[in-house]
Amino acid sequence: MANNDLNTTQYGHASDPLVPMQVFLPSSIAMRLMDLSTLTERDQNFFIIAALVEKIDYLEDLYISMAFENPPLSWSIDAVL
């Protein structure tokens, strides 16, 4: 499926083009994503974008608030979820 399969009203506008990025996923997550994509006949990018859109506000708020409380050099994802 082409990138235009993404719901532009939910994930942005046509004037906000998609930017290629490389993501390394654990194999178990990658397999689930492939299975979901095959089952639904939707592009894997659709589900990656949907997951990011759903969680990005939460992660921004969490990490920014943690940075002001006690700024360590870095946090692991396990420490905040």
Side-chain angles (χ1 to χ4, degrees):
M1 270 180 219
N3 286 340
N4 60 7
D5 177 53
L6 297 171
N7 182 343
T8 56
T9 60
Q10 186 174 358
Y11 300 122
H13 301 285
S15 63
D16 188 12
L18 299 176
V19 176
M21 298 188 78
Q22 185 175 11
V23 178
F24 294 92
L25 300 173
S27 59
S28 60
I29 299 295
M31 292 300 299
R32 290 174 65 187
L33 182 60
M34 285 186 269
D35 291 344
L36 182 60
S37 178
T38 300
L39 180 67
T40 61
E41 298 181 356
R42 284 196 177 266
D43 192 286
Q44 292 180 23
N45 288 326
F46 176 87
F47 294 107
I48 292 170
I49 291 170
L52 287 170
V53 166
E54 182 177 321
K55 290 294 184 181
I56 192 72
D57 289 338
Y58 167 76
L59 292 172
E60 285 173 337
D61 290 346
L62 179 65
Y63 277 92
I64 291 169
S65 68
M66 289 174 69
F68 285 110
E69 290 174 7
N70 187 13
L73 296 176
S74 66
W75 291 291
S76 72
I77 193 70
D78 295 328
V80 296
L81 295 180

